[in-house]
């Protein structure tokens, strides 16, 4: 059954008070309201670490939300429904210097509020050790007055979804901004899933089994987010405080399936699973940004986050009469602080900083329904202290040459307790030195060569050794023995007019990958994550834009080659992986812009996973008229998108096909007065540590 979603959004804004003089960006946008722009890439220019897109007069400023605008930019892949940088993955996003804590912040931000968007593909030493890409968003200057907005959405598909939100903000000419937001959502989706498992004992070819599972899955969840705070700008200085409360009062996931297998005494099994979960988080951020004597810049950030997660999971097999029930409760705490100073010495900009982060994850797990020892009650407590110090520089040697670099030192002390007993084997300390260095040539071709080291620590969910039921012969669990992985990146980037090329050699040390193992005693497969052997990857990314009168196409592609070998028996994971996309903008009469995109996810290996390929098309129509913006979108127009991935490891061959939650039609209508809002300028200290929770 095709999935059709209808989304209707209405944004109403009312403003009173003193109106400040229009900024240059506002005047340019007003003059170009009904002008057809025939060039696309004149808004884009290269930087030493990526590219920057100006939004002044850019047709993307009329598309509706900031999310929609960024998804149409060069080097961006939005095929999965969220923003990803080609060849780099999910970026860290900053809005006016503050780390974005929730994707709703970006979807609520209007594209016409944006001043510029910078896509950084080679982040500096300032950012976390596991950050591969950064998007820096700057908004227009705020106007004085009171800003009130309301937003509602209804979504129709196999499942109904609704959401609503409201915002209030006051900004005066003395630099004070007070703001508050509240949003509520009730979302749902359905999917059809097919799993195929071929597994057995390597030493006995007669003991190989096959399991085929088909199921229908459905999810419904509620979410609530409330935030409030203030900024105060005085001279060249700023201070601020922000509080965010986020809660999932109810989340229900259920599936009904049928499994045929020759590995168990009963060949046909009908099953039903359910997961009920609740969670909440309190987050506080405070910041100070000061201009000291001798032109020294000083930035301070403080974070605190505390939250709780509760889940109850139940699986029932009718024919075997197995009923497995798991309960999990966890509490996490985080504290972070960061200090940064910077100063220019002629053509050299120098920056230095220090960070501290403390995380604690306290978990209690109970299980009943099986006598197997791998489902036992347990408690885990993991505490980690992290310190980081960094220094970086940017030196304009001449108008055509620039050199930049830096070094980051991180030390972590992680302590692991199981059932209140300290575990020396799982408690670890790390000391990492992460250098980066680049040189740039700037005219007329922008050419950059660089080296960057990166470290990624496993999330607490990957370290969790609790077991979760998937099919009668498949379970999933974490691995507390995982250690941090490290990568060395040597890259070259080339920007010339509308052409972008990124080439990267990556050496991965102890990379974390997903694998399957057969347990003969349990007569089941176990999916987990392990540290894979070291291997090499070569990655090529290219983007070419064209301008043909009213038609502005952009062709993008990624090619990835790797030489990974793993498993018993040993397997090669070296099939070339590629993906292609074609983004088109059409400047239609009456100031209407049409965006038609086609995306193909090709075949090949990424880590231990093999993609069998899929494709989809999307269409967006956008029209601005005075204070109104209308956006009509359709995703996965022909219902062709499927998640088709295989993982062959050890003596297990696992295939999955998932379809659903990709096809929708949406209509957004926005009306605004005094839409340029002031933004909170604080930012998270260690967003990677919070994500691990």
């Amino acid at each position: 059954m095709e999935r059709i979603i209808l989304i209707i959004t209405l944004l109403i804004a009312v403003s009173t008070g003193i109106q400040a003089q229009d900024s240059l960006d506002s005047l340019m946008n007003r003059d170009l309201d009904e002008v057809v722009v025939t060039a696309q890439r004149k808004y884009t220019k290269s930087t030493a670490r990526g590219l920057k897109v100006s939004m002044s007069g850019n047709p993307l400023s009329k598309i509706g939300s900031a999310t929609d605008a960024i998804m149409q930019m060069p080097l961006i892949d939005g095929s999965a429904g969220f923003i990803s940088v080609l060849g780099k993955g999910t970026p860290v996003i900053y809005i006016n210097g503050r780390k974005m804590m929730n994707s709703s912040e970006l979807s609520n931000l209007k594209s016409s509020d944006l001043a510029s968007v910078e896509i950084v593909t080679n982040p500096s030493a300032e950012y976390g050790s596991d950050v591969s890409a950064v998007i820096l968003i700057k908004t227009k200057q705020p106007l004085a007055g009171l800003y009130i907005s309301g937003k509602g959405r209804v979504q129709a598909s196999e499942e109904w979804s609704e959401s609503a939100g409201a915002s209030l903000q006051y900004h005066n000419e003395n630099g004070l901004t007070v703001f508050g937001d509240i949003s509520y959502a009730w979302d749902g989706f359905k999917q059809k899933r097919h799993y195929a498992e071929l597994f057995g004992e390597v030493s006995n070819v007669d003991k190989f089994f096959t399991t085929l599972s088909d199921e229908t899955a459905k999810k419904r969840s509620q979410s609530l987010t409330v935030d409030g705070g203030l900024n105060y700008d005085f001279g060249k200085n700023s201070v601020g405080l922000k509080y965010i409360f986020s809660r999932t009062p109810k989340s229900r996931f259920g599936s009904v399936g049928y499994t045929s297998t020759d590995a168990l005494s009963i060949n046909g099994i009908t099953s039903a699973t359910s997961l009920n979960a609740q969670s909440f988080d309190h987050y506080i951020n405070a910041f100070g940004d000061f201009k000291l004597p001798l032109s020294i810049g000083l930035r301070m950030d403080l974070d605190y986050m505390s939250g709780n997660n509760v889940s109850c999971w139940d699986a029932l097999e009718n024919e075997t009469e197995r009923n497995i029930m798991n309960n999990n409760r966890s509490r996490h705490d985080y504290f972070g602080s960061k200090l940064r100073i910077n100063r220019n010495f002629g053509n050299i900009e120098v920056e230095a900083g220090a960070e501290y982060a403390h995380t604690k994850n306290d978990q209690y797990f109970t299980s009943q329904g099986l006598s197997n020892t791998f489902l036992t009650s347990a408690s885990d407590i993991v505490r980690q202290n992290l310190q980081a110090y960094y220094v970086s520089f940017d030196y304009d040697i001449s108008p055509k040459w620039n050199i930049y670099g830096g070094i980051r030192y991180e030390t972590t002390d992680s302590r692991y307790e199981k059932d209140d007993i300290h575990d020396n084997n799982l408690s670890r300390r790390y000391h990492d030195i992460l250098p980066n260095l680049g040189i740039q040539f700037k005219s007329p071709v922008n050419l950059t060569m660089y080296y960057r080291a990166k470290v990624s620590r496993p999330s607490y969910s990957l370290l969790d050794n609790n077991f979760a039921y998937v099919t009668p012969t498949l379970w999933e669990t974490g691995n507390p023995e995982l250690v941090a992985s490290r990568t060395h990146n040597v890259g070259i980037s080339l920007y010339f007019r509308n052409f972008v090329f990124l080439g990267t050699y990556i050496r991965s040390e102890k990379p974390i990958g997903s694998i399957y193992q057969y347990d003969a005693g349990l007569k089941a497969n176990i999916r987990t994550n392990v540290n894979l052997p070291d291997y090499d990857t070569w990655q090529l990314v290219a983007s070419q834009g064209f301008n043909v009168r009213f038609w502005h196409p952009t062709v993008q592609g990624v090619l990835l080659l790797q030489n990974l070998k793993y498993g018993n028996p040993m397997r090669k994971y070296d099939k070339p992986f590629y993906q292609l996309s074609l983004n088109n903008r059409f400047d239609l009469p009456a100031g209407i812009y049409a965006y038609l995109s086609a995306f193909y996810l090709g075949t090949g290996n990424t880590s231990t996973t093999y993609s069998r390929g899929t494709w989809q098309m999307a269409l967006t129509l956008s029209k601005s008229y005075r204070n109104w913006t209308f956006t009509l979108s359709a995703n996965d127009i022909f219902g062709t998108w499927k998640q088709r991935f295989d993982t062959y490891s050890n003596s297990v061959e696992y295939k999955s096909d998932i379809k659903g939650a990709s096809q929708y039609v949406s209509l957004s209508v926005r009306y605004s007065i005094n839409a340029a809002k002031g933004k909170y300028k604080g930012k998270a200290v260690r967003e990677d540590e919070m994500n691990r929770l």
Side-chain angles (χ1 to χ4, degrees):
M1 179 171 59
E2 289 188 339
R3 177 181 178 86
I4 304 295
I5 302 173
L6 177 63
I7 306 173
I8 301 177
T9 303
L10 178 63
L11 179 66
I12 302 176
V14 179
S15 173
T16 62
I18 301 174
Q19 300 295 315
Q21 183 179 1
D22 285 344
S23 65
L24 178 61
D25 287 346
S26 301
L27 292 172
M28 292 181 65
N29 284 334
R30 179 180 300 170
D31 292 340
L32 294 174
D33 273 348
E34 302 301 328
V35 175
V36 175
V37 182
T38 58
Q40 180 185 29
R41 292 301 185 102
K42 73 176 185 179
Y43 305 108
T44 303
K45 68 175 183 179
S46 60
T47 66
R49 295 182 178 271
L51 57 85
K52 188 174 184 178
V53 180
S54 171
M55 297 298 288
S56 297
N58 193 326
L60 289 178
S61 65
K62 305 172 184 286
I63 197 172
S65 73
T67 301
D68 295 332
I70 294 174
M71 283 189 175
Q72 297 293 334
M73 292 181 179
L75 296 181
I76 297 298
D77 171 22
S79 60
F82 56 85
I83 295 172
S84 178
V85 178
L86 284 177
K88 302 293 183 178
T90 304
V92 177
I93 299 177
Y94 288 85
I95 302 175
N96 291 330
R98 181 185 63 82
K99 166 69 167 59
M100 188 182 74
M101 299 300 298
N102 192 296
S103 59
S104 63
E105 296 183 54
L106 199 59
S107 60
N108 291 336
L109 184 63
K110 291 181 58 181
S111 56
S112 58
D113 287 341
L114 303 180
S116 66
V117 177
E118 185 174 355
I119 302 168
V120 180
T121 57
N122 176 26
S124 70
E126 175 186 355
Y127 299 100
S129 57
D130 66 340
V131 175
S132 296
V134 178
I135 292 181
L136 305 175
I137 298 173
K138 291 185 178 180
T139 61
K140 297 176 180 177
Q141 293 297 318
L143 302 174
L146 178 66
Y147 182 96
I148 303 173
S149 66
K151 181 178 180 180
R153 184 186 71 174
V154 60
Q155 174 176 299
S157 60
E158 301 96 341
E159 293 292 317
W160 281 90
S161 299
E162 306 88 23
S163 66
S167 300
L168 184 147
Q169 178 175 274
Y170 171 76
H171 178 76
N172 64 26
E173 293 181 326
N174 295 324
L176 176 65
T177 301
V178 181
F179 58 89
D181 304 276
I182 182 171
S183 61
Y184 173 82
W186 177 241
D187 298 314
F189 71 82
K190 278 186 178 179
Q191 287 182 328
K192 292 184 177 180
R193 303 177 176 185
H194 173 75
Y195 306 118
E197 306 164 51
L198 177 64
F199 56 94
E201 299 179 19
V202 177
S203 59
N204 192 339
V205 295
D206 295 328
K207 289 188 176 181
F208 258 77
F209 310 104
T210 301
T211 296
L212 301 176
S213 302
D214 289 279
E215 68 177 34
T216 300
K218 181 173 69 173
K219 182 179 181 179
R220 299 283 288 170
S221 64
Q222 293 176 302
S223 61
L224 172 68
T225 302
V226 180
D227 69 67
L230 57 86
N231 281 339
Y232 179 55
D233 301 328
F234 52 102
K236 297 182 179 180
N237 308 307
S238 297
V239 293
L241 179 70
K242 184 172 186 177
Y243 166 75
I244 302 176
F245 173 74
S246 57
R247 175 169 169 76
T248 302
K250 183 185 300 182
S251 177
R252 294 178 178 176
F253 173 84
S255 66
V256 177
Y258 176 78
T259 297
S260 62
T261 181
D262 56 5
L264 304 174
S265 57
I266 299 178
N267 296 332
I269 301 173
T270 56
S271 61
T273 64
S274 64
L275 173 65
N276 294 297
Q278 295 178 324
S279 66
F280 70 83
D281 274 303
H282 299 276
Y283 172 72
I284 299 174
N285 173 261
F287 81 94
D289 204 341
F290 307 101
K291 199 70 174 180
L292 304 181
L294 303 178
S295 299
I296 297 175
L298 173 65
R299 172 84 186 204
M300 297 183 294
D301 289 275
L302 295 173
D303 287 337
Y304 175 72
M305 184 174 72
S306 179
N308 192 33
N309 300 288
V310 179
S311 64
C312 179
W313 180 86
D314 186 15
L316 173 64
E317 296 177 358
N318 294 324
E319 289 75 14
T320 64
E321 297 183 348
R322 293 199 302 179
N323 188 9
I324 306 104
M325 293 176 288
N326 295 338
N327 290 278
N328 190 77
R329 181 184 296 272
S330 66
R331 179 177 179 82
H332 51 264
D333 295 280
Y334 157 81
F335 171 77
S337 60
K338 181 177 180 179
L339 177 67
R340 183 193 70 190
I341 59 173
N342 66 282
R343 190 183 190 281
N344 289 346
F345 298 90
N347 294 333
I348 304 177
E349 181 181 0
V350 178
E351 180 178 282
E355 299 176 8
Y356 172 76
H358 170 79
T359 57
K360 178 184 178 184
N361 195 62
D362 189 346
Q363 179 177 251
Y364 183 68
F365 173 79
T366 60
S367 179
Q368 56 183 328
L370 285 180
S371 59
N372 297 311
T373 57
F374 74 96
L375 286 176
T376 59
S377 300
S379 64
D380 298 322
I381 300 177
V382 183
R383 297 181 179 90
Q384 178 180 273
N385 292 301
L386 181 147
Q387 298 179 56
Y389 308 90
Y390 69 89
V391 61
S392 63
F393 71 93
D394 193 315
Y395 178 29
D396 286 326
I397 302 174
S398 70
K400 291 187 177 182
W401 289 94
N402 172 271
I403 185 171
Y404 63 87
I407 190 168
R408 184 181 184 91
Y409 172 73
E410 289 195 354
T411 175
T412 58
D413 182 4
S414 179
R415 298 180 178 272
Y416 186 95
E417 294 182 7
K418 185 175 181 64
D419 295 330
D420 298 323
I421 300 176
H422 180 74
D423 192 323
N424 288 321
N425 294 326
L426 300 181
S427 300
R428 298 183 177 90
R429 292 185 178 181
Y430 299 103
H431 300 275
D432 298 298
I433 298 177
L434 307 171
N436 73 88
L437 182 66
I439 185 169
Q440 177 191 29
F441 174 73
K442 293 185 285 189
S443 178
V445 176
N446 191 319
L447 180 66
T448 302
M449 297 184 64
Y450 68 88
Y451 164 78
R452 183 172 186 261
K454 187 168 76 76
V455 169
S456 297
R457 284 175 289 277
S459 67
Y460 288 111
S461 62
L462 292 183
L463 298 173
D464 177 9
N465 60 356
N466 299 329
F467 282 77
Y469 175 97
V470 181
T471 74
T473 57
L474 178 62
W475 294 79
E476 294 182 346
T477 185
N479 181 5
E481 297 184 0
L482 288 174
V483 299
S485 61
R486 185 184 181 99
T487 58
H488 301 272
N489 301 266
V490 179
I492 182 172
S493 61
L494 185 150
Y495 300 87
F496 179 65
R497 294 182 180 175
N498 296 339
F499 177 71
V500 180
F501 172 80
L502 306 176
T504 312
Y505 163 74
I506 305 169
R507 176 63 177 176
S508 300
E509 299 176 351
K510 299 179 180 179
I512 298 174
S514 178
I515 61 100
Y516 291 79
Q517 294 176 322
Y518 174 61
D519 190 310
L522 300 173
K523 293 185 179 180
N525 302 311
I526 307 297
R527 191 200 75 83
T528 188
N529 288 276
V530 298
N531 290 105
L532 299 170
D534 299 354
Y535 68 96
D536 303 307
T537 301
W538 295 264
Q539 180 176 269
L540 306 177
V541 176
S543 175
Q544 173 68 64
F546 302 93
N547 296 294
V548 185
R549 301 186 68 182
F550 63 88
W551 177 35
H552 311 283
T554 300
V555 181
Q556 301 189 133
V558 177
L559 175 64
L560 186 145
L561 306 169
Q562 63 180 38
N563 61 2
L564 173 62
K565 297 179 181 179
Y566 172 78
N568 181 26
M570 183 73 69
R571 293 182 183 269
K572 293 182 179 180
Y573 303 88
D574 57 1
K575 301 295 183 182
F577 169 79
Y578 66 98
Q579 65 183 61
L580 300 170
S581 64
L582 173 62
N583 298 326
N584 304 272
R585 191 189 88 230
F586 299 92
D587 302 335
L588 304 180
I592 299 174
Y593 296 96
Y595 301 87
L596 179 64
S597 302
F599 177 80
Y600 181 74
L601 181 68
T603 59
N605 286 113
T606 56
S607 187
T608 55
T609 301
Y610 179 80
S611 168
R612 281 181 277 132
T614 188
W615 69 281
Q616 67 167 315
M617 293 187 68
L619 174 66
T620 297
L621 299 175
S622 178
K623 166 64 178 176
S624 293
Y625 178 71
R626 295 183 178 177
N627 293 343
W628 295 87
T629 300
F630 304 88
T631 305
L632 177 66
S633 299
N635 193 67
D636 192 14
I637 299 173
F638 302 106
T640 54
W641 185 257
K642 294 182 179 180
Q643 300 178 43
R644 305 195 302 172
F645 300 102
D646 305 340
T647 302
Y648 299 166
S649 54
N650 302 312
S651 60
V652 181
E653 297 185 1
Y654 177 74
K655 297 183 178 182
S656 65
D657 286 86
I658 301 176
K659 180 176 175 59
S662 63
Q663 191 174 28
Y664 63 82
V665 175
S666 68
L667 174 64
S668 298
V669 182
R670 295 173 179 263
Y671 178 76
S672 62
I673 299 175
N674 190 19
K677 302 188 295 181
K679 298 297 177 183
Y680 180 67
K681 299 180 180 180
K683 60 182 179 181
V685 175
R686 291 294 306 204
E687 63 276 357
D688 56 332
E689 290 302 305
M690 288 187 285
N691 291 338
R692 293 179 69 234
L693 296 170

